[in-house]
Amino acid sequence: MTDTVKRDAIVCFGEALIDFLALPALVGQPRHFVEFAGGAPANVSAAVARLGGNARFVGMLGVDMFGEFLMSQLRAFGVDTRFAVHTGEARTALAFVSLDEEGERSFSFYRPPAADLLFRVEHFRSEAFADAAVMHVCSNSLTEADIAQTTVAGMRMAREHGALVSMDLNLRPSLWPEGFDAAPRLWEALAEADIIKLCRSEADFLIRRAGHHNAMLQRLWQGQARLVLITDGGKPIRWHTRAGVGEVPAFRVPVVDTTAAGDAFVGALLQRLVTRGVTADGFDAWLADESAIADALRHAAAGGALAATKHGAFAAMPSDEDLETLLRTTP
């Protein structure tokens, strides 16, 4: 039977948290932190919504002032929060973020315990995937056994409903138990993703575990992966499919804060796929067109670059107009 459902929703699952960003202290004054809505999957949902997409956030928030703030911010951006749930058993996670002179960030997390880690398989509702074009996750919801099992189950559920599955590794070693080998859980989740986004250090981590670059790719191809992307700051974006490889230049911009640049990159990429009518059934045909890949990655690169020019996560996400202006004015 032909699927007549309009598949345009981008479902983002995982953590939403508060980024307390350290701003430069005035002479003689103490350092101060400013509250921003954040959390990688939540950031992607905000990025999609800012670009005019049908963004949906699925996750668990604490019944506290920070959970209320995040919910209000998601809704203010136009994100569908009907499938987010709340708990009084743990607080909303916090992250304190400091920036170096180049805008590169370092994190100090207050998690676990955290509300987002308490989401379980039974909290998923099938209606959340009924019109889903893509489900997106990252590894921050793999750091404990129960939430890891939930994440993988959600990825499989999305696929069963006809959605593509996207994963940004977004590896944060400080979130994992000391001495714990994260690799087996990472490989298990990566095996469920059609689209995989890695930064250079994350690719290097997987390459070390696999033995060499080609071995890493071969292991990913053994799963569902069909498009692997490797970003490296201002250097070209490297893409791999099962049949080809290529590069797309990054945009050079004055960098202020890289906190959510990767999430803006993913949001712009996924929204471009949806606007171009790419579905799970047509994904392989789309991948056969290298110009289509380059077009999508150029949009993604523009989104990431623009986000890096502003402070914050949600607050840094570019609008569709911002994106089109950069694409139009940059050869």
Side-chain angles (χ1 to χ4, degrees):
M1 185 173 68
T2 302
D3 185 355
T4 58
V5 175
K6 181 182 179 182
R7 293 192 173 277
D8 65 352
I10 297 174
V11 179
C12 301
F13 170 73
E15 87 277 8
L17 52 76
I18 302 296
D19 286 329
F20 282 107
L21 179 63
L23 297 184
L26 299 175
V27 176
Q29 297 295 318
R31 180 171 58 171
H32 61 287
F33 293 84
V34 177
E35 176 188 40
F36 288 98
N43 292 341
V44 173
S45 73
V48 170
R50 275 285 278 160
L51 294 172
N54 181 5
R56 181 170 299 147
F57 175 74
V58 178
M60 185 169 280
L61 301 171
V63 182
D64 52 35
M65 69 173 69
F66 298 126
E68 292 174 1
F69 174 71
L70 285 166
M71 192 62 106
S72 68
Q73 287 289 290
L74 286 164
R75 288 172 175 165
F77 272 73
V79 176
D80 178 0
T81 60
R82 290 175 296 156
F83 303 100
V85 292
H86 302 323
T87 181
E89 296 182 18
R91 300 288 186 180
T92 302
L94 308 178
F96 289 82
V97 187
S98 61
L99 304 174
D100 64 18
E101 293 179 354
E102 283 75 44
E104 285 296 332
R105 68 274 190 267
S106 58
F107 296 93
S108 179
F109 291 100
Y110 284 71
R111 173 186 184 264
D116 64 278
L117 297 171
L118 301 182
F119 195 101
R120 296 292 178 262
V121 174
E122 58 267 24
H123 294 128
F124 283 120
R125 291 163 53 190
S126 61
E127 310 97 276
F129 303 107
D131 60 347
V134 188
M135 180 188 186
H136 176 71
V137 304
C138 78
S139 71
N140 293 346
S141 58
L142 302 176
T143 56
E144 293 184 356
D146 288 339
I147 190 63
Q149 181 182 17
T150 298
T151 302
V152 172
M155 297 167 81
R156 291 171 179 164
M157 190 180 302
R159 186 179 306 284
E160 290 168 1
H161 280 79
L164 286 166
V165 179
S166 161
M167 182 173 181
D168 179 358
L169 196 60
N170 198 44
L171 185 60
R172 300 283 180 264
S174 61
L175 285 176
W176 294 77
E178 186 174 355
F180 183 83
D181 182 8
R185 282 189 198 162
L186 298 178
W187 287 119
E188 181 184 12
L190 288 166
E192 299 296 332
D194 300 286
I195 302 167
I196 295 170
K197 186 262 183 191
L198 308 169
C199 72
R200 181 73 262 169
S201 62
E202 293 160 353
D204 289 342
F205 172 85
L206 295 180
I207 289 167
R208 288 194 299 271
R209 300 309 298 261
H212 54 82
H213 186 272
N214 287 340
M216 175 196 73
L217 289 173
Q218 287 305 313
R219 180 155 185 177
L220 294 176
W221 301 146
Q222 289 171 12
Q224 300 288 346
R226 287 180 275 172
L227 177 62
V228 177
L229 307 172
I230 302 175
T231 62
D232 193 5
K235 296 179 181 178
I237 301 144
R238 187 84 166 168
W239 60 263
H240 298 266
T241 68
R242 298 185 182 207
V245 60
E247 288 186 348
V248 173
F251 290 83
R252 295 194 175 276
V253 295
V255 175
V256 172
D257 178 0
T258 62
T259 300
D263 302 323
F265 176 99
V266 171
L269 170 67
L270 299 183
Q271 178 59 13
R272 187 61 174 171
L273 294 182
V274 170
T275 59
R276 303 299 284 180
V278 180
T279 63
D281 289 341
F283 192 48
D284 286 330
W286 180 83
L287 287 172
D289 183 352
E290 293 190 5
S291 65
I293 296 174
D295 168 78
L297 291 182
R298 184 165 163 78
H299 280 75
L306 288 168
T309 65
K310 297 181 181 178
H311 284 300
F314 282 30
M317 296 306 173
S319 68
D320 191 45
E321 183 180 355
D322 296 332
L323 203 69
E324 291 303 326
T325 298
L326 181 60
L327 289 167
R328 187 175 61 252
T329 58
T330 305

